[in-house]
Amino acid sequence: MNSHKADTVGWKFEHSYTTLPQDFFVEQQPIKVSHPKLVLLNEPLLESLGLNKEALNHAAWGDIFSGNHMPVEAHPIAEAYAGHQFGHFAELGDGRAVLLGEQMTPDGKRFDIQFKGSGPTPYSRRGDGRAALGPMLREYIISEYMHALKIPTTRSLAVVTTGEDVVRNEILPGGILTRVAQSHIRVGTFQYASTLNDVQKLKALADYTINRHYVACKESDNPYLAFLNAVIAKQASLIAQWMHIGFIHGVMNTDNMSISGETIDYGPCAFMDHYHPETVFSSIDRQGRYAYVNQPPIAQWNLARFAETLLPLIDQDADKSIELASQAINNFSDQFQMAWLQGMRQKIGLFNEESADIDLINDLLALMQKNKADYTLTFRHLSSDAILKDIIFKDMSFQAWYKNWLHRVKTQKEGEEASRHMMLKHNPAVIPRNYLVEKALSMAVIDQDYTLLNDFIEALLSPYEDSKIFSEPPLEEDKTYQTFCGT
């Protein structure tokens, strides 16, 4: 690629993260692959980043997003971090990812551009640093779906096949994902900073993160306490939104909790079909630590680990610092409950607030669990007469609930039609159904046929529009269905 072409692509990288002490990263080039091929390109995201698709041909973009041809403006690094993985602390880091830099968009925003599956780094811990194609496609599908729902998330810019196999339990084709994020700073990044036993380095990370994500905290009398409170508020809102759509992250380790408040790492994630609060899909979550119902308390636990790292900065008096941080963490439950309740009211068409709403919502969930009702479609059908045909309507207890709910809706000044309209805006018709995800991935990975995958993605990007093909639940739920990290 000649320099003239490179100039027209639109890369405007900055590298502010490398102003931190060198403990937090290492310089690391992606390892070249033999036969890269671009299979997914997110053109709207490409454009919003200020990049010009027409500046390069298809093969040249494949060379870029495989790491075979690096933009001259890139300064690739691998970031250091630690984390509690299923409750056990370990020092980690980007073992198969490199950050090219921070792309400055035409509207002045800053986004990390990261390759995932780009080869080994000093943090690989004997791993090959590569990724299988299937999990990279899965992350593209689900992260872009979350974005379509306006749920904070990292995003997917491109997926390439590498032309090389990776060896896991079986031999699989390799892939590289280009991930876009507000940043890749995690709770685990701060935990890593704590292991350095250097308050100045911890302060440098905290000040950098505040400047990048929470600049208003600088005006506070206690900026670091304000920072903690801001992160707690973001996470309370985020987890509530996961719960609203039946999303199960699957691996809520502290290194997978983003300080910016974005959903990050779509390894063993999945969506519920039949409602059950203890649903687990991840093959490695044998104790149900990260089950659907456990996501709020686990988020609070993770945030408590984050608070511990900030104690030296919150107050010089250790006891006072612990007291202030504990108060902040204890507020998470109320903040989550408020966000969850507000969203659930929207899902059942309630404009105003009544004290009995919590019982109305919990009674519905209990009836859904009892009748093995589909989580997504029960809420969707509640906004129309379609609910009358659902299996749950055969339950006399549900009929009583329905009568009570209908009375509640009709007595609102906004009226029944306005309620139904609100419900249609807050209850997706299409979700990444597990059986459809697996079918689309299988066709793409095994048969190199991306037709279903592309059609599925197109439907998911309009999640509130009914689809004859992609709205249907499985004929019979696969109770043995498991998801895998794909590492």
Side-chain angles (χ1 to χ4, degrees):
M1 182 179 11
N2 61 46
S3 59
H4 174 70
K5 282 283 187 183
D7 291 341
T8 63
V9 172
W11 293 115
K12 293 186 178 177
F13 279 133
E14 292 188 357
H15 305 281
S16 64
Y17 196 81
T18 61
T19 64
L20 288 170
Q22 286 204 334
D23 307 77
F24 290 102
F25 63 92
V26 295
E27 296 185 5
Q28 176 65 55
Q29 292 287 331
I31 309 303
K32 292 185 178 183
V33 299
S34 60
H35 295 95
K37 180 184 177 184
L38 180 66
V39 292
L40 287 178
L41 180 63
N42 190 335
E43 293 185 21
L45 179 56
L46 191 83
E47 183 179 351
S48 72
L49 290 168
L51 300 175
N52 177 15
K53 176 180 178 289
E54 305 306 321
L56 302 175
N57 62 30
H58 197 78
W61 280 117
D63 283 337
I64 290 279
F65 291 128
S66 67
N68 276 14
H69 191 116
M70 295 296 292
V72 294
E73 303 87 347
H75 181 185
I77 61 170
E79 295 182 22
Y81 52 85
H84 277 91
Q85 301 191 308
F86 290 88
H88 303 287
F89 184 78
E91 291 198 26
L92 304 165
D94 286 331
R96 57 172 180 157
V98 294
L99 174 68
L100 274 65
E102 302 139 23
Q103 172 73 359
M104 301 305 296
T105 67
D107 56 358
K109 294 179 181 175
R110 180 186 302 269
F111 290 100
D112 278 6
I113 308 293
Q114 185 199 65
F115 290 159
K116 187 174 177 181
S118 54
T121 78
Y123 308 120
S124 293
R125 295 181 298 165
R126 299 185 301 277
D128 62 11
R130 292 301 184 187
L133 174 61
M136 300 303 95
L137 296 174
R138 172 189 284 269
E139 177 157 339
Y140 188 107
I141 293 168
I142 299 181
S143 65
E144 288 308 297
Y145 175 71
M146 296 289 265
H147 176 73
L149 290 177
K150 296 183 170 55
I151 295 175
T153 179
T154 61
R155 298 192 62 191
S156 298
L157 181 57
V159 177
V160 299
T161 56
T162 62
E164 301 170 357
D165 292 333
V166 295
V167 180
R168 299 298 181 254
N169 293 330
E170 55 186 322
I171 297 175
L172 300 166
I176 297 173
L177 174 82
T178 301
R179 181 159 67 186
V180 178
Q182 289 185 37
S183 81
H184 286 83
I185 303 168
R186 316 148 187 266
V187 168
T189 313
F190 279 84
Q191 290 182 289
Y192 172 78
S194 288
T195 68
L196 301 175
N197 293 314
D198 187 325
V199 174
Q200 290 308 309
K201 290 177 180 177
L202 172 66
K203 184 177 183 300
L205 176 63
D207 289 344
Y208 173 82
T209 309
I210 289 170
N211 278 319
R212 185 160 175 179
H213 295 302
Y214 299 97
V215 68
C217 292
K218 294 167 68 174
E219 307 303 319
S220 172
D221 291 339
N222 190 330
Y224 304 107
L225 181 61
F227 174 39
L228 173 60
N229 281 318
V231 174
I232 290 169
K234 281 277 184 78
Q235 289 294 335
S237 173
L238 178 65
I239 306 302
Q241 290 177 83
W242 290 0
M243 303 297 281
H244 293 150
I245 59 168
F247 175 73
I248 301 164
H249 185 280
V251 61
M252 287 180 65
N253 298 331
T254 55
D255 55 294
N256 291 333
M257 179 174 271
S258 168
I259 296 298
S260 72
E262 292 182 310
T263 311
I264 189 170
D265 200 315
Y266 288 92
C269 65
F271 291 77
M272 279 193 298
D273 290 316
H274 296 165
Y275 175 74
H276 197 295
E278 295 176 7
T279 301
V280 175
F281 291 111
S282 173
S283 62
I284 57 175
D285 192 2
R286 297 180 180 89
Q287 306 302 318
R289 176 182 175 89
Y290 301 143
Y292 173 77
V293 72
N294 288 342
Q295 292 181 134
I298 285 294
Q300 186 172 27
W301 190 89
N302 288 351
L303 289 164
R305 307 290 75 78
F306 175 53
E308 288 168 355
T309 71
L310 296 180
L311 290 177
L313 305 179
I314 290 173
D315 200 284
Q316 291 184 343
D317 184 314
D319 291 339
K320 179 66 172 175
S321 189
I322 291 170
E323 179 185 353
L324 292 170
S326 298
Q327 289 172 357
I329 294 297
N330 290 338
N331 287 335
F332 172 87
S333 295
D334 287 344
Q335 292 183 61
F336 166 79
Q337 184 69 8
M338 285 177 61
W340 177 82
L341 189 53
Q342 179 185 9
M344 294 303 286
R345 283 193 175 105
Q346 291 171 330
K347 287 178 74 68
I348 62 171
L350 303 184
F351 288 94
N352 57 7
E353 299 179 9
E354 292 185 6
S355 58
D357 291 347
I358 185 70
D359 292 330
L360 188 69
I361 293 162
N362 283 331
D363 287 348
L364 172 59
L365 293 173
L367 287 163
M368 289 167 63
Q369 180 179 346
K370 172 189 170 186
N371 289 279
K372 298 182 179 178
D374 187 85
Y375 182 82
T376 300
L377 291 186
T378 300
F379 284 108
R380 184 73 179 181
H381 288 172
L382 201 57
S383 62
S384 71
D385 289 341
I387 193 67
L388 306 179
K389 300 174 185 177
D390 282 5
I391 191 170
I392 195 172
F393 211 84
K394 296 178 180 178
D395 186 331
M396 298 294 290
S397 297
F398 179 79
Q399 291 179 32
W401 179 91
Y402 183 77
K403 184 178 179 181
N404 185 29
W405 166 77
L406 210 54
H407 175 74
R408 170 81 170 84
V409 166
K410 288 180 176 179
T411 56
Q412 296 182 116
K413 64 179 176 60
E414 289 83 0
E416 187 176 356
E417 190 57 35
S419 285
R420 295 189 186 281
H421 182 67
M422 177 164 71
M423 292 170 71
L424 288 171
K425 287 173 55 181
H426 290 90
N427 290 306
V430 183
I431 63 168
R433 296 274 181 187
N434 303 324
Y435 79 101
L436 289 170
V437 171
E438 294 304 323
K439 185 177 180 180
L441 293 182
S442 177
M443 288 179 64
V445 173
I446 297 173
D447 303 325
Q448 290 85 52
D449 182 351
Y450 284 78
T451 307
L452 178 60
L453 182 70
N454 286 320
D455 289 348
F456 192 25
I457 290 171
E458 184 178 357
L460 290 169
L461 295 182
S462 300
Y464 300 104
E465 294 181 14
D466 292 296
S467 166
K468 289 183 180 179
I469 301 173
F470 299 117
S471 291
E472 292 301 310
L475 293 175
E476 183 176 346
E477 185 170 41
D478 182 359
K479 294 183 177 145
T480 65
Y481 180 74
Q482 286 189 322
T483 52
F484 300 87
C485 279
T487 52

